[in-house]
Amino acid sequence: MRTDFLPYALPSIGEEEIAEVVDSLRSGWLTTGPKVQRLERDLAAYLGARHTLAVSSCTAALHIALTALGIGPGDEVIVPTMTFCSTANVVVHLGARPILVDVGPDFNVTAGAIEAALTPRTRAIVPVHYGGQPCDLDAIYRLATRHRLPVVQDAAHAVGAHYQGAKIGSDALAAPRSVVCFSFYAIKNMTTGEGGAIATAEDKLAEKMRLLTLHGMSRDAWKRYTGAGSWYYEVVLPGYKDNMTDIQAALGIHQLRKLDGFIEVRRRYARLYDDAFAALPEVETPPVRPGRSHVYHLYPIRLALDRLTIDRSQFIEELRARGIGSSVHFVPVHLHPFYASEFGYCPGDLPCAEDLYRRIISLPLYPAMTEDDVADVIQAVFDVVQRFRKTKEGVS
Ligand SMILES: Cc1ncc(COP(=O)(O)O)c(C=O)c1O
C-alpha cells in the first residue's frame, strides 16, 4: 500500500518552462507579446495548420469560433452529452440551443446520433475528441458537407492526436468552415496554466476570430506599446478579452517541444494498464479504434458492475483508501440541473452516455508518474476488484 497519495493528475513543468517565465517577467511583456506570436508559429508548424491563435482557454476558443460562425438566438448546435460543461455552455452564452446527443461505447459521438438530431435550425456541429481519441471525422464531415454545416472540433484532449495519419488541427483534415479548439489547462497533455488555441485553414474566419480575441481592435493592436506600433486603433466589432499572455506562452513554447515525448509516456503507461487489466473481467479498458492515434489524455476504465458488489463511487473511495486519486469524465451534460430544467432533458434520454457514466473511472495517467506509480494503481485496482468481486455466494 502507498504511503503517499497519488494525485489523479499533475503537470510536468521543467526548468526550461520556469526560466522562460522568469524571462517574461524580467522582459516587461506580461501580456500578449512576442512569446505568444512564437507559440502560435510553433503550433502552426507542429500541427501543419495555416492559422493558429493562442487564447485564454479552450472555452474561449469554442465561444470565439461559434461567434465568428454567426451562431445566435434561434440556432441549434449539436454537442455530445459526454463532455465537459463548457462545450455546451458556450452555445447557451450565444443565445442558441445546445442539442445534446448520445455517444458510442468508445465515448465519442456517432454520426448517426448527429444525423438524428438535425433540424432546419441546426447551424453547427461540435464533436469532441473524447479522452484524446479522434472521433469519426470522415462520417461527421460527410454529414456536415451534405447539410452545409460548419464543424467546430472540441479537441481539448487531443493536441498531437492523428486521424487517418493526419494531425487533428492540420490543414490536411480541414473542411469548409472547420475550426479546431485545443485546451492547455493545467492538467492537459500540454499546459500553459490556463490557455488554449484555435486552428483553422480559413483566412476570413481566422481574421475574424483574431479580432474577437482582443476587443475587436484592428490588426496587431497588441503592438501599440512597442516602437513598431501606433497608439491608434479602431474597434471593428465588439470583441472579447480572450487573449493569451506571454507568461502563459512562455510555458507553452517548452511544453509544445516536449509534447510528443509526453504522449509517448502516456501511451506506454496506457499499454501497461491495458495488459494488466486484460486479466480482470470486471474492468473494461478504453476501446481503441483503427485509423486513429490516441494521445490518452484520459484513461477511463469501465466497471462491469454486474460482477462487483460495489458501485462506481464506492470503487473510487476504495481507490482513495489505497492512496490512489481518480476522477469521472464526465457527468453527462444533460443530467446537470441547468440543462435538465432549461431544456427538459431527463434521465434515460441518452442511454449509452448514462450507462458509461455509471461505470467509468479515469485512472491517473500522466508523464510525471513513474512506472512504480503505474504499478501501484494496477495493484490498487486488482485489490479492490478481488475484495469486492461477486461470487456465487456473494462477496468474495
Ligand atoms: C472536452 C472539454 N472541452 C472543453 C474544455 C474546456 O477547456 P478549458 O479549461 O481550457 O476552457 C475541457 C476542459 O476540461 C474539456 O475537457
Side-chain angles (χ1 to χ4, degrees):
M1 170 99 77
R2 287 179 71 92
T3 48
D4 60 328
F5 185 74
L6 179 72
Y8 161 67
L10 283 174
S12 290
I13 302 295
E15 291 305 318
E16 304 85 348
E17 284 88 334
I18 293 168
E20 197 74 48
V21 169
V22 170
D23 180 70
S24 286
L25 297 175
R26 291 196 201 288
S27 77
W29 268 115
L30 302 188
T31 182
T32 310
K35 286 185 187 171
V36 169
Q37 278 211 317
R38 201 162 113 207
L39 177 60
E40 288 181 346
R41 272 199 311 270
D42 292 354
L43 187 63
Y46 174 82
L47 296 174
R50 185 167 166 83
H51 301 283
T52 56
L53 284 85
V55 290
S56 55
S57 67
C58 184
T59 306
L62 292 162
H63 181 248
I64 283 171
L66 292 171
T67 305
L69 288 163
I71 306 301
D75 295 342
E76 292 180 356
V77 176
I78 297 179
V79 172
T81 193
M82 205 62 174
T83 186
F84 186 58
C85 58
S86 68
T87 324
N89 285 350
V90 294
V91 177
V92 179
H93 295 162
L94 291 168
R97 188 184 180 96
I99 304 297
L100 300 169
V101 299
D102 213 349
V103 294
D106 65 351
F107 305 96
N108 270 330
V109 67
T110 62
I114 294 172
E115 187 159 25
L118 292 170
T119 76
R121 290 177 299 284
T122 310
R123 292 287 175 274
I125 303 170
V126 185
V128 176
H129 302 304
Y130 176 99
Q133 174 161 243
C135 60
D136 199 352
L137 266 185
D138 278 348
I140 293 170
Y141 275 164
R142 270 198 301 276
L143 211 54
T145 307
R146 198 164 351 119
H147 296 273
R148 298 200 187 167
L149 291 169
V151 177
V152 175
Q153 295 167 49
D154 180 336
H157 303 172
V159 64
H162 290 74
Y163 180 80
Q164 313 289 13
K167 257 192 199 128
I168 294 295
S170 66
D171 293 345
L173 286 181
R177 294 189 299 152
S178 73
V179 179
V180 182
C181 302
F182 298 103
S183 174
F184 303 147
Y185 177 65
I187 56 168
K188 291 293 192 289
N189 286 22
M190 64 168 272
T191 184
T192 57
E194 295 280 1
I198 300 175
T200 186
E202 307 255 333
D203 297 347
K204 280 205 176 125
L205 257 181
E207 183 60 27
K208 189 163 183 193
M209 290 191 292
R210 191 171 288 287
L211 286 168
L212 285 167
T213 60
L214 197 59
H215 306 299
M217 287 156 76
S218 52
R219 209 171 157 68
D220 286 345
W222 67 269
K223 279 190 191 155
R224 65 194 181 283
Y225 301 125
T226 70
S230 154
W231 62 268
Y232 185 75
Y233 59 85
E234 291 177 338
V235 172
V236 294
L237 47 78
Y240 301 95
K241 187 69 173 31
D242 288 337
N243 53 311
M244 181 182 275
T245 69
D246 258 30
I247 299 173
Q248 292 167 303
L251 287 170
I253 288 163
H254 293 279
Q255 290 275 298
L256 181 60
R257 287 181 195 157
K258 298 177 183 177
L259 178 62
D260 285 341
F262 288 160
I263 292 171
E264 258 186 59
V265 179
R266 286 177 178 273
R267 288 196 180 124
R268 188 154 54 80
Y269 290 175
R271 289 288 84 77
L272 293 175
Y273 283 153
D274 284 348
D275 292 346
F277 300 143
L280 290 180
E282 294 81 3
V283 172
E284 296 165 28
T285 55
V288 179
R289 305 277 308 277
R292 301 144 211 225
S293 75
H294 199 322
V295 291
Y296 287 102
H297 171 58
L298 301 178
Y299 190 90
I301 55 168
R302 292 159 296 164
L303 301 177
L305 292 176
D306 53 339
R307 293 172 177 270
L308 293 166
T309 59
I310 54 173
D311 66 15
R312 186 273 320 279
S313 300
Q314 291 165 315
F315 203 109
I316 288 175
E317 288 314 310
E318 292 296 331
L319 289 178
R320 190 195 306 278
R322 288 160 179 76
I324 305 297
S326 61
S327 192
V328 173
H329 297 91
F330 295 94
V331 179
V333 175
H334 73 284
L335 298 182
H336 285 298
F338 170 78
Y339 286 91
S341 65
E342 186 74 12
F343 300 110
Y345 290 108
C346 298
D349 282 353
L350 301 170
C352 189
E354 291 174 35
D355 171 62
L356 289 169
Y357 172 54
R358 272 189 291 276
R359 304 200 288 128
I360 47 176
I361 301 177
S362 298
L363 296 180
L365 179 70
Y366 47 96
M369 288 169 72
T370 63
E371 282 201 21
D372 284 347
D373 292 331
V374 176
D376 286 345
V377 177
I378 292 170
Q379 174 61 46
V381 170
F382 268 75
D383 201 37
V384 178
V385 167
Q386 277 153 7
R387 166 90 176 74
F388 297 101
R389 177 176 273 158
K390 247 184 212 166
T391 62
K392 279 197 192 105
E393 298 78 40
V395 182
S396 63

